[in-house]
Amino acid sequence: MDFDDAANLAKSLMAEHKLRRWVFVFNRGKRTLGMCDFTRKRIELSMYFVTHNDEAAVRDTVLHEIAHALAGEKAGHGPKWKAVCKRIGAIPKRLDHEAVMPKGHWVAVCPSCGESHRRFRRPLLGRHYFCRSCGAESGQLRFGIPTLSGVD
Ligand SMILES: [Zn+2]
Ligand SMILES: [Zn+2]
């Protein structure tokens, strides 16, 4: 699934279930599909997971995490959490948190010349990257993780 679509889906489900003051973020986890961070009030999805799964799977995961947020940290995967799952339409089962997600390095396609740029290390937050041939104005790069078939 596309990152933007996944983020929009997660945000709209969070709004629908009245998770006020909670935010949605992506993470780079390779072993967990989604995460509910009670301390920071964040629902997180793995970028790897999103890239390699369809909308139905992303929706199930978001609802699973929303149920955690609504049920509270102490509920774990117990009866209280399961009751919330039933109410909001989440599958009341523990997720397969050990799913192996494929490795990928970071790829960005220059919006101006279409050349693909690769990084092996995670792009730094808040830092702007740009295509050397096109410059900072027209060649802004946004790195993502490629699908299994790659972006080339
Ligand atoms: Zn869970
Ligand atoms: Zn370029």
Side-chain angles (χ1 to χ4, degrees):
M1 196 181 188
D2 192 83
F3 291 145
D4 288 343
D5 292 345
N8 287 336
L9 175 64
K11 285 175 194 165
S12 72
L13 287 169
M14 287 164 73
E16 188 184 322
H17 297 296
K18 311 215 164 30
L19 279 189
R20 294 192 189 94
R21 290 194 293 272
W22 281 68
V23 294
F24 169 77
V25 292
F26 283 114
N27 65 42
R28 277 105 182 170
K30 289 178 193 167
R31 293 183 155 269
T32 54
L33 314 181
M35 219 176 94
C36 179
D37 183 336
F38 290 96
T39 309
R40 288 187 280 188
K41 292 197 186 315
R42 299 205 307 205
I43 289 196
E44 305 189 4
L45 281 179
S46 156
M47 297 175 94
Y48 289 85
F49 168 68
V50 164
T51 308
H52 297 285
N53 286 272
D54 63 9
E55 182 175 339
V58 172
R59 175 183 291 268
D60 284 345
T61 305
V62 172
L63 286 171
H64 178 111
E65 304 306 338
I66 288 176
H68 277 309
L70 293 171
E73 193 168 8
K74 289 196 191 111
H77 292 105
K80 189 180 174 192
W81 174 79
K82 284 184 177 156
V84 176
C85 284
K86 282 183 192 137
R87 180 161 63 78
I88 70 171
I91 300 163
K93 271 190 201 159
R94 185 183 279 268
L95 290 173
D96 179 11
H97 285 295
E98 294 305 315
V100 176
M101 280 176 275
K103 275 189 188 160
H105 37 221
W106 297 83
V107 175
V109 176
C110 172
S112 174
C113 69
E115 196 193 320
S116 65
H117 299 259
R118 292 178 178 278
R119 281 180 65 83
F120 287 92
R121 294 175 56 194
R122 165 206 287 207
L124 301 170
L125 271 181
R127 171 153 176 203
H128 296 287
Y129 295 92
F130 57 89
C131 171
R132 242 174 258 149
S133 6
C134 301
E137 285 280 293
S138 53
Q140 273 242 23
L141 300 177
R142 291 175 170 278
F143 282 93
I145 295 162
T147 60
L148 274 176
S149 55
V151 171
D152 283 338

